[in-house]
Amino acid sequence: MKETISDRAPHVLALEAAENQFLQVLVHEFTLKKNGSGQGARLRLKFGPKTPAIWHRSAKAHVQKQIHRFSPRAQGLQRKIDRILFENGKEELKHSSPDFPFRYASGGVLPVISMGSNLYYG
């Protein structure tokens, strides 16, 4: 398996070992797509017990410093995400980058997770 930025960060652990006081899963692959009805969007991602996770506040800055050209890359990705969420285009974003992880946490929103035919609400 190819080494990722997450493998070199001091405050990043496997999800199963991380404390939950400041828990954000580092996602290297996901798909964001506007729903066909034009209402909302769907985020598809996978993570499990071995997925890298930030468990300490200082890890956020450390991970960002490890990403080459973080600011311009982040701005470009933000524009793509904004087009999907706030404009009428039917664009889809497929992010797959071992050197640019996204921090995933609920952030106070109600995530709906589907596993097979079951729906789970966070």
Side-chain angles (χ1 to χ4, degrees):
M1 180 180 251
K2 188 174 179 181
E3 182 181 66
T4 67
I5 292 285
S6 308
D7 296 327
R8 300 188 306 269
H11 292 294
V12 176
L13 294 173
L15 178 58
E16 66 186 356
E19 296 178 27
N20 66 0
Q21 64 184 357
F22 182 81
L23 188 60
Q24 295 179 342
V25 178
L26 296 178
V27 179
H28 295 88
E29 293 184 40
F30 67 85
T31 302
L32 179 66
K33 183 177 182 178
K34 189 89 162 183
N35 284 336
S37 65
Q39 298 274 331
R42 177 174 287 196
L43 174 65
R44 290 183 164 247
L45 53 90
K46 292 182 182 179
F47 58 86
K50 303 290 185 200
T51 303
I54 291 174
W55 60 273
H56 194 273
R57 290 188 186 280
S58 63
K60 174 184 169 185
H62 180 81
V63 169
Q64 282 183 359
K65 287 178 188 175
Q66 300 300 309
I67 299 173
H68 178 67
R69 299 183 64 238
F70 174 78
S71 288
R73 290 174 72 189
Q75 290 171 7
L77 287 165
Q78 185 66 57
R79 282 191 297 273
K80 290 178 182 179
I81 291 168
D82 287 348
R83 274 196 300 271
I84 294 168
L85 297 177
F86 304 116
E87 295 177 14
N88 289 331
K90 296 194 180 210
E91 189 174 345
E92 175 179 275
L93 172 62
K94 289 186 178 186
H95 177 78
S96 179
S97 179
D99 66 336
F100 198 109
F102 273 69
R103 293 175 292 117
Y104 178 76
S106 75
V109 299
L110 176 65
V112 178
I113 300 167
S114 63
M115 296 176 74
S117 62
N118 296 321
L119 293 177
Y120 300 91
Y121 303 90

